[in-house]
Amino acid sequence: MGGGSEFPQKCSQWGSGVCENENKIHGQDSYLRAVVDMGSNGIRFSVSDLSPPTSRILPTIHVHRLDISLFDAQFDSKTGTRIPIPCSIIEAVIAALLRFQIICMDLGVPDNSIRIIATEATRTAINSIEFRKEIKEATGLTVEMLPKEDEGKVGALGIASSFSNMHGLVMDLGGGSTQISWMIVNAGEVRTSPKGAFSFPYGAAALTRRLEELTAGKSKDEAEKERDKLREEMKANFLDAYKKLEIPKELIEKAKRNDGFPLYLSGGGFRGWGYLLLYQSQVHGHHYPISLINGFSAQKAHFENTEALKEVARTAHQIFRVSDRRRAQVPAVAFLVNVLARALPHGIKEAHFCQGGVREGVLFQELTPTIRLQNPLEVATAPYTRLSAAAISDLLLCAIPEPSTTDAKMFPESIGSHVIRAFANVLYVHSVMSKETASTAALYSTSTGLLSTSHGVSHSDRALLALMLEERYQGELPPREVDFKLSLGQLLTTEELWWTRYLGKIGFLVSSVYPAGFIDQDKPRMRLSALWAAGLGKEGTKEGLKLKISIEKVEHDPLKLKETLEGGVGVIEKVGKKKNWIGGKDGWGMAVKVIVEEDALLSGRETGSTLLAELINI
C-alpha cells in the first residue's frame, strides 16, 4: 500500500526479464508500421504488423479514429465561407498525434516507422503550410502531402489489397474528392493505368456542400437547372477520364459481354453506401449473414436504386455503421451514383466494396510481388496449422476426382485449392471444444470469430470455409443457429454447398484417423483417391463418385483403424443420399460410394496417376 521514499525501479534497471521485451509484443519491431490517415471526414490512427507469415493480410494490432472533419472545419458555420483550419482543431489534432506517439512507443513502433499522410482537405487548406508546421514542431513528425495524382494510385493499391484477383474500374470516394482508374490484379501482379488516377472535387462532404450552395435561395425550377448543370459537368469529367485512362481492350470487351464494368469501391463515402445496401439485405425478412463491408457486393439494380437508399437513410431509426454525418451525405452520394451510371460507357455490372484505403495502400505498396501473390485466406489460417497441414491438405485434395475426360463432370472451379488448404490449416482449431460449442464456433469463425478480421477474404470464401468446418464437426447445431447456416448457404450455389458437406465429412474422417494432426509420411495410416463413377446405388442406376480408402493391413492394430473408419464411411456416404441433397430429393447432389481396402501401403506419397490407375481397376 505504500510509503517509502523510493519509486519502483524502471524496467531498464531490472536486467533481463519480461520488461526487457515488453514493447516487442507483436513480431519484431522492424515490421511494425504506424499510419495516420489524415482524411477529410476523419483522422484514422493504426499500427500494423507486417512480419511473416501474415504480412499479406496487413494485420492491425491497434486502430482508433478521431471524429474531426478537416473539410467541414474549413467553412464558417454561419456564413458558409471558406476559412483557415481553426486553432482549436489544430490543437485537437496535435493532442491526438501526441497520444498516438505514446501508443506507438508502448507497442514498440520505431520512430522512423510512423507516417502521417494527408489528402485533399489538408492539401487545399488556406493555412495548410502553417498547419503542417505546427504539427512538425509539436510532434517531430512530418506530414506527407499525398499529391493529387498519387491519391488515386494509393487508394487503388488499398483496393488491390482487399481482393485476391480483380478486373475492373476502381474508385475512391473520400470527403473532399473522388478518384477513378482501372486495375487488374492477377497472380500477385498489379496493373493499373499509366495515367494513374483522375481526381475530381466530388467527395461526399464536398459534393454535399456544393449541392446545398447551388440550390440555396432558389426556386424549385432554378435549383433543378443548377443541378442539371452540375450533372452535365460531372458526366463530362468522368467520360473524359474514361477516355484518357487507357483502359485495356480486354476489360472493355468483357464489359460489353457482361452488360457493364465491375466497380471496386473504397473510401468512406462509398462504404456508407455499401452499409445502406447491407442494411437492406438484413431487414424485412432478409438475412445476409456477414456484416463485413470488405468483400460485400451489390448487383447493378440494387447499387443504382438511389431513391430506395435515400429513403432508407431518411427513415431508418438506426443504420449499422452509418453515422449521422454519413447519413446527411447520402443524397450527394446518390447524385454521384446516378451520374456514374449514365456517364460510364457500357454501364455498371456490379459493385464490390472494400475496406482498403490510404493505410492499406501504403502498406500494400511495401509488399513484394511474391507476398502479394499469396492468398489472403491461406495466410490468415497459417498461424493455426498443425505440423502436417500440407499433408492433410493433400489428403483432402485426393478425395476430389479429377475432371472427367468423357463428360462435363468436374469439381467447381469456384472452390479453389486455397480454400482446401485453408480448411486443412484450421481443421483442428475447434477440436478442444465441447460438442455443444464446436460446430457453432466453427460456423461463426470466418464472420465474427478468429478469422473475421482477416483482410482480403471474399464473402464466398468465408462461407465455404465456415460451412466445411461446421460439417467437419458433423454439422451438429442448436436450433437457433440453423438459420445462420442457411443464410451462409445462400451465398453459394447449390453445387458449391453440396461439396462443402462432402469435404467437411472428409475432414471429419481425416481428423478421426489423425487426431493429433500429424502424418508420418514414411508410415501413412491411410490414403485416399476418388473417381467419377456410374452404376452406383442399390439398383446400380445412379451416378456420382467413388472414394477409395486404403489402409495398411496389420494383424494387431492398437489404433483400431478399421473400426475408426467405419463411422467415417457412413457419415460420408450419407452426403450422397438423395434426402440429403441440397434442396431434397429433387435438388443437387450425387451418390457417394466409399470402399475401404486393406493394402500394403507404399512408403511416402504416391502419384495421382498411380492411385487413379488402381481405382479404375476396382
Side-chain angles (χ1 to χ4, degrees):
M1 286 286 295
S5 59
E6 295 181 3
F7 288 101
Q9 289 179 309
K10 294 181 180 178
C11 290
S12 59
Q13 296 174 295
W14 283 33
S16 61
V18 104
C19 286
E20 186 177 346
N21 294 312
E22 74 174 351
N23 309 11
K24 298 183 180 181
I25 58 175
H26 291 277
Q28 299 179 33
D29 57 3
S30 62
Y31 288 111
L32 298 180
R33 302 289 185 272
V35 177
V36 180
D37 174 9
M38 206 145 66
S40 298
N41 259 333
I43 302 174
R44 299 158 191 85
F45 302 81
S46 66
V47 178
S48 304
D49 181 1
L50 297 187
S51 59
T54 56
S55 26
R56 170 59 184 86
I57 59 173
L58 313 176
T60 303
I61 61 175
H62 171 82
V63 64
H64 73 272
R65 182 179 185 274
L66 180 64
D67 191 20
I68 286 180
S69 171
L70 290 175
F71 181 87
D72 288 344
Q74 297 178 55
F75 292 90
D76 186 279
S77 58
K78 295 179 180 178
T79 65
T81 56
R82 190 78 181 263
I83 60 173
I85 299 174
C87 292
S88 59
I89 297 295
I90 295 175
E91 289 171 2
V93 171
I94 289 174
L97 288 169
L98 290 170
R99 178 176 180 269
F100 184 57
Q101 283 182 295
I102 295 171
I103 293 170
C104 289
M105 184 172 62
D106 290 346
L107 292 171
V109 182
D111 290 342
N112 61 0
S113 292
I114 303 174
R115 299 177 65 182
I116 305 175
I117 301 171
T119 54
E120 179 83 3
T122 304
R123 186 171 58 239
T124 60
I126 295 171
N127 58 338
S128 176
I129 295 174
E130 294 79 6
F131 176 44
R132 288 178 278 144
K133 183 180 178 182
E134 288 196 44
I135 290 174
K136 173 70 173 178
E137 290 175 350
T139 67
L141 300 173
T142 300
V143 177
E144 300 176 41
M145 285 303 309
L146 201 59
K148 190 175 181 180
E149 58 274 15
D150 289 344
E151 192 170 338
K153 291 180 184 178
V154 172
L157 285 171
I159 295 174
S161 75
S162 305
F163 300 92
S164 301
N165 294 285
M166 54 179 284
H167 303 73
L169 302 182
V170 294
M171 289 191 70
D172 186 306
L173 181 61
S177 62
T178 186
Q179 292 80 34
I180 184 169
S181 188
W182 60 265
M183 181 168 282
I184 296 174
V185 179
N186 189 33
E189 181 186 355
V190 179
R191 290 170 52 202
T192 188
S193 172
K195 304 293 185 181
F198 284 83
S199 181
F200 303 108
Y202 306 140
L207 195 54
T208 297
R209 180 167 292 276
R210 187 165 174 187
L211 284 167
E212 289 172 354
E213 290 172 350
L214 283 178
T215 57
K218 294 183 176 66
S219 67
K220 187 176 180 180
D221 288 341
E222 290 174 332
E224 189 55 39
K225 286 179 182 178
E226 291 299 322
R227 280 193 290 265
D228 284 342
K229 286 180 184 177
L230 177 59
R231 197 175 285 117
E232 290 304 312
E233 172 200 313
M234 293 172 65
K235 183 178 177 181
N237 282 334
F238 283 127
L239 189 55
D240 183 59
Y242 174 89
K243 293 174 181 176
K244 292 178 178 177
L245 280 170
E246 299 181 14
I247 300 172
K249 187 177 180 181
E250 60 189 281
L251 287 184
I252 295 174
E253 292 302 319
K254 192 173 181 180
K256 289 178 181 177
R257 292 194 306 270
N258 297 334
D259 296 323
F261 286 98
L263 281 187
Y264 294 86
L265 306 172
S266 69
F270 278 136
R271 278 195 292 274
W273 195 252
Y275 280 120
L276 288 174
L277 288 160
L278 183 61
Y279 173 87
Q280 277 191 319
S281 68
Q282 293 184 333
V283 297
H284 307 309
H286 301 289
H287 303 284
Y288 192 86
I290 300 175
S291 299
L292 302 171
I293 198 63
N294 198 89
F296 178 68
S297 299
Q299 295 302 306
K300 175 188 179 73
H302 293 103
F303 178 72
E304 295 181 3
N305 192 352
T306 56
E307 291 303 316
L309 293 181
K310 283 196 293 184
E311 182 65 13
V312 168
R314 190 181 66 83
T315 60
H317 175 64
Q318 188 173 10
I319 304 171
F320 177 66
R321 300 292 294 129
V322 177
S323 64
D324 289 343
R325 178 182 291 151
R326 288 286 177 216
R327 199 187 282 238
Q329 293 170 355
V330 166
V333 178
F335 191 88
L336 176 69
V337 169
N338 276 327
V339 171
L340 269 179
R342 289 159 177 75
L344 291 177
H346 318 301
I348 299 167
K349 179 180 183 290
E350 60 203 2
H352 305 281
F353 297 89
C354 75
Q355 190 63 44
V358 168
R359 168 195 168 263
E360 291 79 9
V362 296
L363 296 177
F364 196 65
Q365 207 167 23
E366 281 196 50
L367 304 183
T368 65
T370 304
I371 293 176
R372 291 179 185 179
L373 175 61
Q374 296 171 350
N375 183 274
L377 186 62
E378 276 190 76
V379 171
T381 54
Y384 308 101
T385 58
R386 291 288 175 98
L387 189 61
S388 298
I392 290 170
S393 174
D394 288 344
L395 261 181
L396 296 170
L397 289 167
C398 285
I400 301 170
E402 295 287 334
S404 174
T405 56
T406 57
D407 53 33
K409 293 189 183 73
M410 64 181 296
F411 182 70
E413 291 182 353
S414 53
I415 307 178
S417 58
H418 65 279
V419 178
I420 309 300
R421 289 191 288 269
F423 181 40
N425 287 347
V426 290
L427 193 63
Y428 297 87
V429 167
H430 304 94
S431 60
V432 296
M433 293 184 173
S434 66
K435 287 185 178 180
E436 291 94 337
T437 59
S439 286
T440 301
L443 190 66
Y444 283 91
S445 62
T446 63
S447 54
T448 58
L450 78 165
L451 299 174
S452 60
T453 59
S454 302
H455 182 66
V457 181
S458 69
H459 285 200
S460 57
D461 278 357
R462 290 181 188 275
L464 287 167
L465 181 56
L467 290 167
M468 286 181 193
L469 281 172
E470 191 266 345
E471 292 290 345
R472 172 256 190 269
Y473 296 101
Q474 300 190 62
E476 275 196 278
L477 288 174
R480 72 171 191 170
E481 309 301 349
V482 173
D483 285 345
F484 181 74
K485 181 178 180 180
L486 292 172
S487 297
L488 275 179
Q490 289 172 1
L491 301 186
L492 309 176
T493 66
T494 53
E495 181 182 8
E496 290 168 341
L497 191 51
W498 185 89
W499 281 104
T500 64
R501 292 186 180 178
Y502 171 75
L503 288 168
K505 302 308 185 190
I506 297 295
F508 167 74
L509 173 74
V510 171
S511 59
S512 299
V513 175
Y514 296 104
F518 171 71
I519 298 177
D520 185 341
Q521 293 295 330
D522 294 326
K523 296 179 181 179
R525 293 173 190 164
M526 73 171 180
R527 67 173 185 244
L528 304 177
S529 53
L531 184 73
W532 303 112
L536 302 179
K538 292 181 180 179
E539 299 177 4
T541 57
K542 297 179 181 177
E543 293 186 346
L545 67 86
K546 191 180 289 185
L547 176 70
K548 178 184 175 183
I549 305 173
S550 298
I551 61 173
E552 189 170 9
K553 187 173 184 178
V554 292
E555 290 187 13
H556 302 289
D557 179 17
L559 279 173
K560 301 294 182 183
L561 190 56
K562 198 170 182 181
E563 290 82 350
T564 300
L565 286 174
E566 287 177 1
V569 167
V571 165
I572 294 169
E573 288 190 331
K574 281 182 180 178
V575 178
K577 300 292 184 184
K578 275 197 169 185
K579 65 179 181 179
N580 296 322
W581 286 8
I582 309 304
K585 293 182 178 180
D586 297 321
W588 202 100
M590 67 180 79
V592 178
K593 175 66 177 176
V594 181
I595 297 171
V596 180
E597 284 196 355
E598 292 183 303
D599 199 357
L601 287 178
L602 298 174
S603 296
R605 301 181 188 179
E606 293 189 280
T607 64
S609 57
T610 304
L611 296 175
L612 190 61
E614 286 191 5
L615 188 56
I616 291 173
N617 293 324
I618 292 176

